[in-house]
């Protein structure tokens, strides 16, 4: 059952990444970050059209079937997709947990999701 869940999560992430043209490379799987510390979010691009922007980066938590927003769109303004990274300060009031993920949305409303990571 656990293997099926992981396979479905990987398949859905690959599908979302192929639609977006961006795929999140950092945060890496099973890394623990500290509240109050910085989280470097990195992505690569495939078939990005000129003028494409990242319009939303959010912290999410939960199961693959119910990945809820913890901090929705912490970007101050859209950033060019070809910048390939964004650094975010993790708020001190984030609850410690091992089921966090980052989601990115582009100016065409396509989504990509990171691997799971922890915040302590």
């Amino acid at each position: 059952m656990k293997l099926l869940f992981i396979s479905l999560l990987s398949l859905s992430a690959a599908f979302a990444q192929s639609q977006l043209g961006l795929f999140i490379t950092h945060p890496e799987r099973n890394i623990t970050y500290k509240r109050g510390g910085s989280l470097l979010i990195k992505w690569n691009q495939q078939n990005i059209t000129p003028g494409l922007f990242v319009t939303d980066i959010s912290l999410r938590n939960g199961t693959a079937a119910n990945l809820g927003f913890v901090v929705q769109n912490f970007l101050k303004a859209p950033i060019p997709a070809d910048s390939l990274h964004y650094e975010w300060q993790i708020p001190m009031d984030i609850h410690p947990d091992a089921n966090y993920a980052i989601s990115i949305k582009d100016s065409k409303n396509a989504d990509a999701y990171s691997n799971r990571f922890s915040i302590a």
Side-chain angles (χ1 to χ4, degrees):
M1 186 68 168
K2 189 174 184 178
L3 181 60
L4 176 61
F5 171 76
I6 292 170
S7 296
L8 289 175
L9 181 61
S10 297
L11 181 61
S12 66
F15 179 71
Q17 290 169 355
S18 67
Q19 285 184 321
L20 180 58
L22 301 177
F23 55 96
I24 300 173
T25 59
H26 197 270
E28 296 176 17
R29 182 182 319 273
N30 299 325
I31 300 293
T32 300
Y33 298 91
K34 295 193 184 294
R35 293 176 291 168
S38 66
L39 172 60
L40 182 61
I41 301 156
K42 294 182 181 179
W43 58 88
N44 284 333
Q45 56 184 356
Q46 293 178 345
N47 304 319
I48 299 287
T49 56
L52 188 68
F53 285 86
V54 172
T55 58
D56 181 307
I57 302 179
S58 297
L59 179 66
R60 303 184 77 160
N61 186 282
T63 65
N66 189 22
L67 197 57
F69 288 100
V70 177
V71 180
Q72 190 168 3
N73 197 10
F74 49 78
L75 282 177
K76 292 178 175 54
I79 58 174
D82 61 4
S83 66
L84 303 179
H85 74 280
Y86 184 82
E87 190 164 351
W88 180 58
Q89 289 299 123
I90 302 169
M92 289 298 295
D93 62 350
I94 297 294
H95 179 70
D97 201 315
N99 287 313
Y100 286 106
I102 294 292
S103 65
I104 294 179
K105 185 172 284 197
D106 75 4
S107 50
K108 293 182 179 180
N109 279 334
D111 299 293
Y113 296 87
S114 74
N115 289 310
R116 296 302 176 108
F117 60 92
S118 300
I119 296 177

